[in-house]
Structure formats: structure tokens, C-alpha cells
Amino acid sequence: KLLSQRTASNNLHTPDLTDAETEESEYEEAEDPIDAQEIYDMIAHISDPEHPLTLGQLAVVNLSDIEVREKCDKTKISEVVVKITPTITHCSLATLIGLGIRVRLERSLPSRYRINILLKEGSHQSENQVNKQLNDKERVAAACENDQLLGVVSKMLSTCK
Amino acid sequence: MPIELLKSLRLHKDKLWSLDCSKGLMATASSDRKIKLVNLQNLDFKLVEELDDSTHKKSVRSVSFRPNSSILAAGSFDSTISIWGKDDSDPLDNPETDLLAIIEGHENEVKGVAWSHSGEFLASCSRDKSVWIWEADELGEEYECLSVLQEHSQDVKHVVWHPNMNLLASSSYDDTIRLWKEDADDWECAAVLNGHEGTVWCSDFEKSEASLRLVSCSDDATVRVWKYVEEGEDGEDIWTLDAILPNIHSRAVYSVNWSSHGYIASAGSDGILAVYKEVEQGNWEVVAQQNEAHSVFEVNMVKWTRVGDKDLILTGGDDGFANVWCFTP
């Protein structure tokens, strides 16, 4: 029940355009462009996996570190870049936090958005390794079929509005 | 435009990861755990069979037909490989494909499977960083592991065999490509190709007896051609970068395929399908570019095939579609 409500509210902001049969209506629909504030609102309420606080409260995600490279034409691919700042430079949960953000955005944004999740420069000692994992679609897809991992991610996302 | 969309097939409910063709059939693999078979003959593109979807517990990542047969290998994120076959006497529009074998051995996700040109060997690769070489019996029911190659330092994303030699190429998350060949009773690494600045997603050999080259594509958004030079003094083969193809892609390139008549096709995250032609040795030009080949979705696979007198390009995307493109040079 909860899940269906959440999906419904997402759809208010971001109509589901994944169904190719609805392609025609895609052109007609006056969809508001998505801005950084909307992306921030989608991910700021994600719970930190080890603190009783959200990623917004911990300043792991910050409005100023979100960039939307929007194409006006809704049939074109657009890009979202989110830079995250782990609370400590050796944070072992940086990958998990990034995965949570990616899953949240993949579920919320229309398919035309390519989502790039990066650690903010200098915020983590294994920056390149973590970035590589977070942006490998095959590893992300496999992680989302791992029940244990998906359970942790679902818990992180359960505080999203 | 020399490429034209012939047919768009809505086959899967989730990402279509891989496809392959043999004897008039196309097989597709998806995150929805299904494998589907489509009849390509007469260009009617009818879905003719759905293989038992309780076989794999996770995404089916890769499919490969044994050359000149209807035996299909499928690698899955559930770490197993399934082998399927039908009687050659079965009509193409109503095949009855049976599960012949399940191969276990990899520790986690199988990412690629590929048959050698003679059908004698099956190669598989996995997130466990290894490449396995299996010897198959004629019926495709018995598999013996001949070698476990563990020299990649990260996930191995893709494997492909040379069209007429027992030479294997593997592409990896460690940004390299390794070439493997048979040496006495074992298999050994013949060369390492360094140069890509990101995960290498896929590679493919030139279909030529006259020269030995490999094309590769990467997360670094480039497509590169490598050329065999000679055998080095230490026994390792010497390969060199032959060309970097024109810079068409803006994001990761997931798939590349070299046609039998010398064209290269590439596709990737930016939704672009590109075809390149070598105008003179080492100098390539783009002869066709299709943007939004799967509308706004990523393209995971591109494959050349020939049906009747038509050269077709098959693509598979995150929209779960297989698109059939006609290529006219």
C-alpha cells in the first residue's frame, strides 16, 4: 500500500514515460523541466545507513552539488550529476549510499535521464574506485538483484517522501 | 541514410542485454530472466518460443549460439550457464527447445559466454575475475573445464572468439583486453592490450583471413582497433593500436561488432548506433549514425547478421526491445 502511494506521488512530478506505447502523449504533455531542487528533494530524505539522520541533514547531499543538464526536447537524453560528500574520507559505506541515491533516482526520474553519481573531489580516499562502481550499469543491476543489499537500500529509502 | 529501421520488436519487460543469431533464429536475453527466440527468416520476425523462465534465478546477461547449430548457451547473474537445444528437424516457426545442461563453476555473476568457431570450446567470464574454457561434446550435453584463467585483476565483462582460430579475447573492468591461446595442454595469455581509460565492455575480431585485428569499446567513450604485429621474443604476441575510430559517442560504448564485409558497428549509453568504414588502412569514417536508436534508452548490444540478400544490424536496449535495421552501403 505504502509503495503504491509513493509511486503515485512520484508520478505527479515525473510522469512515467517508460512505456513506449505512450510515446505519442510524450510530445503533448507539458512536463516541467526537472531542476536541481527537485533532485535534492528526492534524495535528501534518504536515511544514512548507520546514523539516525538523513543524507540531507548530514550534508552528504547538497543542493549546490547537483547539476541537471537538461535538453528542452523531451525526446532527447538529459543528464543529472550528483556529487556526494561522505562524512569521513574513509567511509566504507560510500558505495552503499551512492547506490541508494542511484536507485532512488532511477525509480523516480523518466528514462531519458542518465544519472551520474560521483564523490565530491577530495572527499574520499578511494574516490576513483567508488565512482567507477557507482556508474557501472552492470554492477548496479546485479546489486539490485541481491536481496540482502536491496533490503538495506529499501530501508534507507523508506524515509523518502 | 544507409540504415533504416525495418522492425521494432517489443520482447522483454526489462533491459535486453544480449542477442545472437544462427540458422535463421535470433535469441535474446534480458533482466526479466527470459530468453526469447525470434524467427528471422523471410523477415517476418515472429516470436516463436520463450524458453523456460524458471531456469535462471537472476538476469540472463549473455547468449551465444554454437556455430552452425541451434545449440544456445546463456550466462546469468545467478552464476550458472544454461545450454539449450532443439532438433534440427523442428520447423523454425515452431521449435521445441529443451534444456540440455546447466554448467556451474563461477563464483558469482556470469557476464559473458561465447562459442569457438568449431563449436569445440565454450568460454565464459564472470565478476569473479576469471575466464573459464570448457570443452563440449558433440551433443552439447557434457562439459569439461579445461582451464581457469585468472589474470584479469577485476570483473571480466565479455569474451569473444576469433572467427577461424582458437584465439580468445576477454574485456575487463580492469581497463584491459587480454588475448588467450592454446599452448600444449593449457591456455595462456598471449597479449594484454592497454590503452582504454575505463572499463572495456566488449571486443570483436575482424572477419578476415588476411589480417588479424580486434575492435574494442569502452566506458571511456572510444572505439579502438588493435592489430597483431608479430610474435615477440618472450613468446608473447605483440599487438599495437591501429586506429581510434571517429569520436561519435559521448558516453560509455557497450557493444561493438565487426561485419563479414569489413564494417564496424558500435552502440552505447548515449543511444547512438554508428557504422564505420575503413577508407584506407587505419583510417575510418562514419558512414551511418542513428541517434536515439532505442528512443531515450541505452543500447546494450549491436550485432550484424545477413538474411537473404539483406545486411541487417540488430540492436538491443534497456527498453526491452530488439530493433532490426537494414544496412545499405
Side-chain angles (χ1 to χ4, degrees):
Chain A
K1 180 77 187 180
L2 261 180
L3 186 72
S4 66
Q5 277 174 358
R6 197 184 312 144
T7 313
S9 77
N10 287 344
N11 285 351
L12 286 181
H13 298 286
T14 60
D16 181 9
L17 303 179
T18 56
D19 188 341
E21 282 169 2
T22 64
E23 213 166 341
E24 264 177 44
S25 62
E26 225 175 280
Y27 294 94
E28 294 157 21
E29 226 163 304
E31 181 203 331
D32 285 337
I34 285 169
D35 61 19
Q37 181 68 50
E38 277 177 89
I39 304 283
Y40 179 80
D41 292 343
M42 285 174 191
I43 59 178
H45 301 288
I46 298 174
S47 301
D48 185 88
E50 57 179 0
H51 298 99
L53 294 168
T54 66
L55 299 185
Q57 288 166 333
L58 290 165
V60 173
V61 296
N62 300 287
L63 182 57
S64 56
D65 293 326
I66 298 172
E67 190 191 342
V68 183
R69 297 174 192 152
E70 178 85 60
K71 297 260 175 57
C72 299
D73 185 342
K74 298 291 173 276
T75 64
K76 303 284 185 216
I77 291 162
S78 293
E79 283 190 308
V80 172
V81 182
V82 177
K83 291 190 177 168
I84 58 179
T85 311
T87 49
I88 39 174
T89 56
H90 53 276
C91 179
S92 59
L93 296 171
T95 315
L96 180 61
I97 291 169
L99 182 67
I101 294 171
R102 175 173 287 284
V103 170
R104 171 69 176 155
L105 292 179
E106 281 184 0
R107 288 179 186 173
S108 310
L109 291 172
S111 305
R112 67 191 180 88
Y113 287 93
R114 297 290 182 272
I115 301 156
N116 304 289
I117 314 270
L118 301 168
L119 295 176
K120 193 159 176 162
E121 295 82 355
S123 70
H124 200 277
Q125 59 191 17
S126 313
E127 194 177 307
N128 292 342
Q129 278 177 43
V130 175
N131 286 348
K132 193 167 183 173
Q133 277 200 54
L134 285 177
N135 295 288
D136 180 313
K137 76 181 286 188
E138 195 181 41
R139 283 206 176 187
V140 170
C144 290
E145 288 189 85
N146 177 324
D147 289 338
Q148 200 191 345
L149 205 49
L150 205 58
V152 178
V153 168
S154 298
K155 208 172 153 210
M156 288 166 63
L157 300 190
S158 64
T159 46
C160 288
K161 292 181 177 130
Chain B
M1 193 67 167
I3 39 183
E4 181 196 348
L5 184 65
L6 268 191
K7 189 84 181 175
S8 202
L9 301 161
R10 182 177 205 175
L11 293 172
H12 294 282
K13 292 201 182 81
D14 204 337
K15 292 180 176 66
L16 195 163
W17 282 113
S18 170
L19 54 84
D20 196 18
C21 313
S22 177
K23 301 189 108 178
L25 278 180
M26 171 174 75
T28 59
S30 165
S31 274
D32 69 9
R33 302 175 191 184
K34 293 185 198 297
I35 299 166
K36 298 199 176 181
L37 298 178
V38 172
N39 186 356
L40 296 179
Q41 279 193 333
N42 311 319
L43 304 172
D44 68 350
F45 310 115
K46 216 178 95 197
L47 175 69
V48 289
E49 201 177 0
E50 230 182 274
L51 305 187
D52 178 8
D53 64 359
S54 64
T55 307
H56 286 296
K57 308 287 176 251
K58 291 184 177 175
S59 291
V60 187
R61 177 64 180 91
S62 172
V63 279
S64 172
F65 275 112
R66 193 179 202 179
N68 307 311
S69 86
S70 309
I71 292 174
L72 183 76
S76 166
F77 282 176
D78 70 9
S79 83
T80 68
I81 301 160
S82 57
I83 306 287
W84 305 81
K86 69 174 184 71
D87 284 340
D88 272 341
S89 56
D90 281 4
L92 271 190
D93 54 0
N94 187 24
E96 286 180 33
T97 303
D98 295 318
L99 182 64
L100 300 180
I102 294 276
I103 309 177
E104 294 175 345
H106 282 292
E107 275 173 42
N108 42 43
E109 295 99 280
V110 175
K111 303 202 162 180
V113 286
W115 287 97
S116 68
H117 69 101
S118 64
E120 184 182 2
F121 305 117
L122 177 71
S124 60
C125 63
S126 160
R127 187 164 69 88
D128 66 16
K129 306 174 187 175
S130 67
V131 174
W132 293 47
I133 299 196
W134 310 85
E135 188 175 40
D137 70 345
E138 205 163 317
L139 295 172
E141 292 171 350
E142 303 282 335
Y143 293 82
E144 187 192 343
C145 178
L146 297 180
S147 200
V148 178
L149 309 167
Q150 293 183 299
E151 286 161 62
H152 277 296
S153 63
Q154 294 288 342
D155 317 18
V156 189
K157 296 293 198 184
H158 180 264
V159 279
V160 65
W161 290 91
H162 188 273
N164 52 44
M165 289 192 283
N166 286 332
L167 178 66
L168 180 76
S170 59
S171 304
S172 169
Y173 188 90
D174 68 12
D175 303 354
T176 71
I177 301 146
R178 281 180 181 267
L179 291 148
W180 310 88
K181 64 182 180 186
E182 209 172 1
D183 174 54
D185 280 345
D186 207 358
W187 290 75
E188 61 167 27
C189 184
V192 187
L193 310 186
N194 286 294
H196 278 299
E197 290 166 4
T199 296
V200 188
W201 283 101
C202 174
S203 74
D204 193 27
F205 285 100
E206 182 177 15
K207 314 293 185 286
S208 162
E209 309 236 336
S211 73
L212 178 51
R213 290 190 291 176
L214 183 84
V215 62
S216 61
C217 63
S218 160
D219 227 59
D220 68 13
T222 68
V223 179
R224 296 171 192 234
V225 174
W226 311 81
K227 182 175 70 177
Y228 170 76
V229 181
E230 60 184 2
E231 192 172 328
E233 283 172 10
D234 55 359
E236 272 218 352
D237 290 342
I238 297 171
W239 285 69
T240 178
L241 183 68
D242 194 39
I244 298 182
L245 267 47
N247 197 1
I248 286 284
H249 292 285
S250 61
R251 298 183 56 87
V253 189
Y254 291 132
S255 182
V256 71
N257 196 233
W258 206 320
S259 83
S260 55
H261 44 345
Y263 292 92
I264 289 174
S266 67
S269 168
D270 57 10
I272 295 172
L273 163 64
V275 180
Y276 317 80
K277 182 188 182 182
E278 192 171 32
V279 285
E280 57 185 75
Q281 166 66 38
N283 182 13
W284 294 77
E285 278 180 5
V286 176
V287 291
Q289 179 179 344
Q290 178 67 49
N291 295 344
E292 290 99 31
H294 284 252
S295 69
V296 294
F297 291 86
E298 299 194 317
V299 187
N300 298 314
M301 181 86 190
V302 59
K303 184 107 195 160
W304 291 91
T305 193
R306 200 171 167 82
V307 175
D309 61 350
K310 282 194 158 54
D311 284 309
L312 304 181
I313 301 172
L314 307 171
T315 53
D318 277 357
D319 53 359
F321 280 66
N323 286 344
V324 184
W325 308 85
C326 188
F327 177 77
T328 320

